[in-house]
Amino acid sequence: MIFSYLDVRDKGRVAQVCAAWRDASYHKSVWRGVEAKLHLRRANPSLFPSLQARGIRRVQILSLRRSLSYVIQGMPNIESLNLSGCYNLTDNGLGHAFVQEIPSLRVLNLSLCKQITDSSLGRIAQYLKNLEVLELGGCSNITNTGLLLIAWGLHRLKSLNLRSCRHVSDVGIGHLAGMTRSAAEGCLSLEYLTLQDCQKLTDLSLKHTSKGLTKLKVLNLSFCGGISDAGMIHLSHMGSLWSLNLRSCDNISDTGIMHLAMGTLRLQGLDVSFCDKIGDQSLAYIAQGLYQLKSLSLCSCHISDDGINRMVRQMHELRTLNIGQCVRITDKGLELIADHLTQLTGIDLYGCTKITKRGLERITQLPCLKVLNLGLWQMTESHTEKVR
């Protein structure tokens, strides 16, 4: 039906044209996949019946002035509930909403709901057994006990975001990985795990992860200052892992990259930006053992044209290269990239102050290039037009 191609606002408008269009616009196929964005401020008896009539099962609450139970009771078949940024949501409010099993709910986003504690995770683990995605980024009151509850009840979980959960430590990751089987089976089906800025984590967490979370595809460890090169040994044989983010992990050096390259990884994406101990030797290791990468981010690393020369001839799959703020890269490095990385679709050169118009012209001749970030690079007006 042609109405399905309209955006949400226009779908609402066509329903006001005439009765026939209204009936057509309420067909469930028109609203398939749509997420309703709601301000819950006052009672509206027709709201949830209207959403259900259109088959809408995904809801984002933009502001919560009413009880959350109002939503759950109104949409018993809800599949996705986004409460991100609802700062006034408490354990008490969530507890009153989740009082029985909700088998349809697959996605729950509680990011930045800062009053939520382990108590709420107990409710979630008890009543949302089919949950596949749980976002807890910025929920700074969550502890290892909460992760134990998740590991006990959410066996179908595929994606978990624990960004900036500052109390989470190696013990909690052990719970998720099934290291405490006497208390909890673990979330062994996890495929996406974000541990960004979890400052208490050490290499022991990586050991737990490699042993128990064998289906993991994406692992974000950015800003985890407690992990080191030794932890990379544990990750180096995770055959299912295809994306690893080590951005701003200050203790990762060339040695850590060597460990990754010597394993059995089939990584497609690697980010070691702002790891100031990463240098040209890492690029040699990447060329030897991680040559299948499609995306590589090295922003602000201590790499030079020599490192680029040691890497480019083996990286035939590379599509995205981010080397912004790598101030030792010159036109020679860009010429090497242009000669050998012919499949590149995107490159970041922000803050590469030693490149000139000559090197940039070579880069712009890459046949597949779609994205070029220059940032601080100074260009003449005529050259800007040429790049466009």
Side-chain angles (χ1 to χ4, degrees):
M1 186 175 291
I2 195 168
F3 287 172
S4 63
Y5 295 99
L6 301 175
D7 62 30
V8 174
R9 180 174 295 181
D10 287 339
K11 287 174 182 177
R13 286 172 175 165
V14 298
Q16 301 173 29
V17 172
C18 64
W21 281 34
R22 180 198 62 203
D23 294 342
S25 68
Y26 266 61
H27 195 276
K28 291 184 179 180
S29 64
V30 173
W31 298 90
R32 186 177 293 117
V34 168
E35 180 180 63
K37 301 179 186 296
L38 308 176
H39 291 279
L40 292 186
R41 294 170 178 166
R42 61 179 67 89
N44 183 351
S46 65
L47 174 60
F48 294 118
S50 173
L51 295 179
Q52 286 190 286
R54 284 176 277 183
I56 294 177
R57 295 187 173 187
R58 301 173 64 233
V59 173
Q60 179 180 6
I61 306 300
L62 300 175
S63 58
L64 187 64
R65 304 283 181 85
R66 296 182 59 81
S67 169
L68 181 59
S69 58
Y70 176 64
V71 180
I72 302 303
Q73 292 169 9
M75 299 191 68
N77 295 320
I78 190 169
E79 293 179 353
S80 173
L81 177 60
N82 186 346
L83 294 159
S84 176
C86 290
Y87 305 110
N88 56 336
L89 180 65
T90 64
D91 289 335
N92 190 42
L94 191 143
H96 284 140
F98 297 153
V99 294
Q100 61 184 18
E101 290 193 9
I102 310 175
S104 61
L105 194 60
R106 300 288 195 276
V107 179
L108 178 62
N109 189 336
L110 296 174
S111 297
L112 298 174
C113 295
K114 294 181 177 293
Q115 296 189 62
I116 293 300
T117 72
D118 296 338
S119 175
S120 287
L121 296 188
R123 286 277 183 171
I124 291 168
Q126 183 177 2
Y127 294 121
L128 307 184
K129 298 288 188 181
N130 292 329
L131 208 62
E132 296 179 359
V133 178
L134 180 57
E135 299 280 339
L136 296 171
C139 295
S140 52
N141 290 316
I142 299 300
T143 73
N144 294 329
T145 301
L147 298 194
L148 177 61
L149 292 166
I150 290 174
W152 166 77
L154 302 182
H155 301 150
R156 298 188 180 184
L157 203 62
K158 293 182 179 179
S159 177
L160 177 62
N161 187 337
L162 297 170
R163 175 182 52 82
S164 299
C165 291
R166 60 189 179 189
H167 298 301
V168 168
S169 71
D170 299 333
V171 173
I173 304 305
H175 294 325
L176 294 177
M179 297 296 109
T180 50
R181 289 291 181 89
S182 59
E185 181 179 327
C187 299
L188 307 185
S189 295
L190 273 177
E191 298 179 0
Y192 304 87
L193 180 59
T194 297
L195 300 173
Q196 176 182 337
D197 196 31
C198 292
Q199 295 294 332
K200 289 188 175 183
L201 301 187
T202 73
D203 294 335
L204 181 57
S205 285
L206 305 189
K207 182 178 182 180
H208 293 328
T209 298
S210 64
K211 283 188 173 183
L213 302 180
T214 57
K215 296 181 180 180
L216 209 60
K217 296 178 179 178
V218 177
L219 179 59
N220 186 341
L221 296 165
S222 57
F223 299 92
C224 290
I227 65 172
S228 72
D229 292 333
M232 299 303 101
I233 298 175
H234 300 302
L235 299 184
S236 66
H237 295 287
M238 295 190 67
S240 63
L241 196 65
W242 56 263
S243 178
L244 178 61
N245 191 336
L246 298 169
R247 189 182 187 92
S248 293
C249 292
D250 297 333
N251 292 314
I252 300 298
S253 71
D254 294 336
T255 303
I257 302 303
M258 177 191 70
H259 292 321
L260 293 176
M262 290 178 64
T264 56
L265 288 172
R266 297 190 294 271
L267 283 182
Q268 296 182 30
L270 176 64
D271 188 344
V272 290
S273 298
F274 302 99
C275 295
D276 56 14
K277 296 178 182 177
I278 297 289
D280 288 338
Q281 187 59 49
S282 284
L283 300 192
Y285 291 138
I286 288 171
Q288 292 170 12
L290 299 173
Y291 48 83
Q292 72 277 32
L293 283 172
K294 293 184 177 180
S295 175
L296 177 60
S297 295
L298 298 153
C299 296
S300 199
C301 292
H302 292 291
I303 61 172
S304 69
D305 297 337
D306 181 57
I308 296 294
N309 185 44
R310 297 164 77 177
M311 178 187 72
V312 290
R313 291 171 180 81
Q314 282 73 41
M315 307 297 289
H316 304 299
E317 301 296 320
L318 201 63
R319 300 294 185 269
T320 302
L321 178 62
N322 297 323
I323 52 174
Q325 300 180 63
C326 293
V327 295
R328 298 168 65 195
I329 300 295
T330 72
D331 290 342
K332 180 182 177 182
L334 297 192
E335 290 169 4
L336 287 164
I337 291 169
D339 287 341
H340 298 284
L341 301 181
T342 56
Q343 300 302 309
L344 274 188
T345 60
I347 186 167
D348 177 11
L349 300 172
Y350 174 93
C352 293
T353 53
K354 290 188 177 180
I355 64 175
T356 71
K357 179 179 178 180
R358 186 186 71 175
L360 194 57
E361 285 179 340
R362 291 295 306 277
I363 286 295
T364 57
Q365 292 169 9
L366 282 165
C368 302
L369 194 66
K370 297 178 180 178
V371 178
L372 172 60
N373 182 19
L374 297 173
L376 298 177
W377 198 84
Q378 299 298 313
M379 294 184 297
T380 64
E381 186 174 337
S382 60
H383 186 63
T384 303
E385 292 300 321
K386 185 173 182 179
V387 171
R388 287 175 183 169

